[in-house]
Amino acid sequence: MTARPDTIAAIATASGRGGIGVVRVSGPLVPAVALALAGRIPAPRQAQLARFRDGNGAVIDEGIVLHFPAPHSYTGEDVLELQGHGGPVVLRQVLEACIAAGARHAEPGEFTRRAFLNDRLDLAQAESVADLIDAASAEAARSAARSLVGEFSSRVMSLVARLTEMRLHVEACIDFPEEEIDPADRAWQARRGEELRAELAAIVSDARQGAVLRDGLTVVLAGAPNVGKSSLLNRLAGEEVAIVTPIPGTTRDHVRATLVLEGVPIHLIDTAGLRDAGDEVERIGIERAWEAIAKAGAVMHVIDATRPDTADNPLLDARLPVGAPRLRVTNKIDLPHPATGREDRPGDASIRLSARTGEGVAALRSWLLDVAGWRPHGEGVFLARERHLVALAEASGALAKAADGTQPIELLAEELKMAQQALGRITGEVTPDELLGQIFSRFCIGK
Ligand SMILES: Nc1nc2c(ncn2[C@@H]2O[C@H](COP(=O)(O)OP(=O)(O)OP(=O)(O)O)[C@@H](O)[C@H]2O)c(=O)[nH]1
Ligand SMILES: [Mg+2]
């Protein structure tokens, strides 16, 4: 037996003054609250004009009442909306009248938590409610809306369904000694494992872009001393955040600036020029530069067009985080420079610009937006969270082991189970014994 939930109430609109303001109430006492404030229980889902009264019968406001009986409401419980005038004092009085009628103040997120507990939303959808409200750009809002209507969840769940099917197949083979398992079965499993891995990789890529829309992208400016990293940072930031001098080794500590492009936060980190020499302070600065590079979401390798020797840095190539996009930025093209083209390399994104004149910087901004996952009319990107990425990575690690194809079938079964559990955490499902039921219903006959 679960305890009967209590009734919660809160001002649902933003604080401050506005044309209208809404107090929302959810729980079993909704009819009593409606009677106390509006003098009647409004017909379901019909806007009705009413005077809102406090406990002494004094009129607080006049507005619209809306009643959504359970379970067809946001929370799945009885819900009452009191839409009055949007002044902070009047809204507080309406809220206090609801409390006097038996409701209590809602905690942050409590309406949405109830929606999840009552299966109105899954976990990923519930999270996207907050993301939609917090969205800093139209693109982030669109991505959150896609998660809210369940696009992210349904892709995860369709993957879980296919994973379940594969698990059934594998579990059915487990009762047999290894040598008696039909090689065709093993081949089917290997194929299916590969398909699932590819689908998971596609989801990971969309989710990763979505996470960048939400949290921003960290981009490190790296390269030899004096190539113009700090000048480029200043140019992008639109202000003199970093010291610029003709002396190689000017920058030691990181200099940070956040740039907001189309609502997407880009966190830029300018670092010390990479070289062997230097005093103690510079050496520490360079060590820190390597640390920043190792953690970067993307790296700009800045090259001096007049000094082709700055184009090569095998160490930089080796120490880039795997999967982090890298851009070769050839700077100082306003100066006479040899036309070697050595700074460009096939397969690498590259841009030629001048931090001094600003030529080519627009192309750099579009590269940053592109790498951050911003699309003009973005399709398919989900506003994922770190938690989703961790779960997806875990599932993908387990599937990679499962797809190996050589391991004993018991281990394969175990890896698949782990992959499924990791994915189930995204939508908040807890379905441990569900699989057993399916096995019995589908495989117990004769096998
Ligand atoms: N002509 C020209 N000069 C530039 C350009 N960008 C930077 N410079 C000059 O190059 C010198 C070095 O610039 P910085 O921005 O300090 O270079 P850095 O890469 O940050 O150097 P360190 O911090 O020492 O690693 C300065 O004298 C700048 O004025 C450019 O696009 N054109
Ligand atoms: Mg510098």
Side-chain angles (χ1 to χ4, degrees):
M1 272 281 290
T2 47
R4 189 175 144 95
D6 49 6
T7 300
I8 53 174
I11 299 170
T13 39
S15 65
R17 296 185 303 173
I20 59 166
V22 177
V23 171
R24 181 151 67 170
V25 190
S26 177
L29 289 183
V30 153
V33 173
L35 266 180
L37 268 96
R40 63 175 179 275
I41 299 169
R45 294 176 299 282
Q46 277 183 26
Q48 293 183 346
L49 187 68
R51 294 209 168 127
F52 306 160
R53 295 174 189 274
D54 66 14
N56 303 318
V59 175
I60 312 168
D61 195 4
E62 187 176 59
I64 301 291
V65 279
L66 269 168
H67 180 209
F68 302 94
H72 304 293
S73 72
Y74 180 68
T75 58
E77 303 174 332
D78 262 5
V79 167
L80 187 72
E81 274 190 26
L82 297 147
Q83 309 185 352
H85 294 98
V89 174
V90 69
L91 280 172
R92 187 136 293 280
Q93 283 176 334
V94 173
L95 177 61
E96 288 314 319
C98 295
I99 305 298
R104 70 161 168 82
H105 291 280
E107 288 160 25
E110 212 175 359
F111 288 94
T112 305
R113 193 168 79 205
R114 289 186 177 197
F116 167 62
L117 291 175
N118 291 323
D119 287 331
R120 303 292 293 171
L121 297 170
D122 66 40
L123 213 48
Q125 287 176 304
E127 289 168 321
S128 67
V129 171
D131 290 341
L132 184 58
I133 293 170
D134 291 341
S137 67
E139 187 45 38
R142 268 196 293 273
S143 308
R146 268 192 295 273
S147 297
L148 177 60
V149 299
E151 275 188 42
F152 180 42
S153 306
S154 70
R155 267 180 82 182
V156 171
M157 284 187 295
S158 99
L159 194 65
V160 168
R162 300 179 64 202
L163 201 55
T164 307
E165 193 194 342
M166 181 171 170
R167 281 189 66 193
L168 294 174
H169 197 274
V170 169
E171 302 269 347
C173 295
I174 274 188
D175 296 336
F176 297 91
E178 196 76 35
E179 56 280 6
E180 279 178 36
I181 299 172
D182 188 343
D185 279 341
R186 288 292 261 179
W188 181 87
Q189 289 162 7
R191 226 171 28 246
R192 172 51 65 92
E194 261 323 309
E195 285 167 22
L196 292 180
R197 237 153 65 102
E199 169 61 10
L200 185 59
I203 297 179
V204 167
S205 141
D206 286 343
R208 188 172 291 146
Q209 287 186 358
V212 166
L213 282 179
R214 202 184 115 84
D215 302 325
L217 178 72
T218 302
V219 182
V220 171
L221 291 114
N226 223 34
V227 294
K229 300 176 295 299
S230 301
S231 305
L232 189 54
L233 177 81
N234 291 348
R235 165 65 69 177
L236 286 168
E239 56 180 315
E240 302 297 306
V241 275
I243 300 172
V244 168
T245 75
I247 307 161
T250 301
T251 306
R252 273 94 192 276
D253 270 339
H254 294 168
V255 183
R256 294 164 193 271
T258 293
L259 181 69
V260 180
L261 296 178
E262 307 283 349
V264 183
I266 310 278
H267 311 293
L268 297 167
I269 303 182
D270 176 26
T271 58
L274 304 167
R275 63 171 170 186
D276 281 336
D279 56 36
E280 168 94 26
V281 182
E282 191 182 355
R283 261 203 307 281
I284 297 173
I286 293 169
E287 210 27 68
R288 290 189 178 178
W290 286 120
E291 283 165 20
I293 291 164
K295 286 190 279 189
V299 174
M300 290 191 225
H301 178 188
V302 185
I303 296 160
D304 185 335
T306 67
R307 287 167 44 212
D309 61 296
T310 60
D312 287 320
N313 196 325
L315 205 54
L316 184 59
D317 295 341
R319 290 179 67 165
L320 279 181
V322 256
R326 187 254 306 266
L327 178 70
R328 293 167 71 81
V329 180
T330 305
N331 185 32
K332 306 196 190 180
I333 58 164
D334 57 296
L335 296 175
H337 58 274
T340 57
R342 209 180 126 209
E343 56 273 17
D344 297 335
R345 275 199 297 199
D348 270 355
S350 66
I351 286 178
R352 304 164 63 78
L353 53 74
S354 164
R356 174 154 300 167
T357 66
E359 186 191 347
V361 173
L364 179 58
R365 290 206 181 89
S366 19
W367 181 80
L368 286 170
L369 271 177
D370 192 46
V371 168
W374 184 85
R375 300 283 176 275
H377 304 287
E379 321 75 40
V381 174
F382 308 109
L383 207 57
R385 297 176 165 217
E386 193 54 35
R387 178 180 89 76
H388 303 150
L389 294 182
V390 169
L392 289 171
E394 211 173 286
S396 146
L399 269 185
K401 285 196 215 148
D404 161 308
T406 56
Q407 58 183 327
I409 193 118
E410 287 82 4
L411 284 182
L412 175 59
E414 200 47 44
E415 296 295 349
L416 292 175
K417 185 171 159 196
M418 280 171 61
Q420 190 187 14
Q421 284 172 348
L423 293 176
R425 286 208 314 268
I426 292 177
T427 52
E429 274 171 86
V430 195
T431 50
D433 288 335
E434 183 193 59
L435 186 71
L436 275 178
Q438 289 187 22
I439 291 176
F440 282 124
S441 64
R442 286 175 59 174
F443 285 92
C444 66
I445 346 135
K447 261 216 162 189

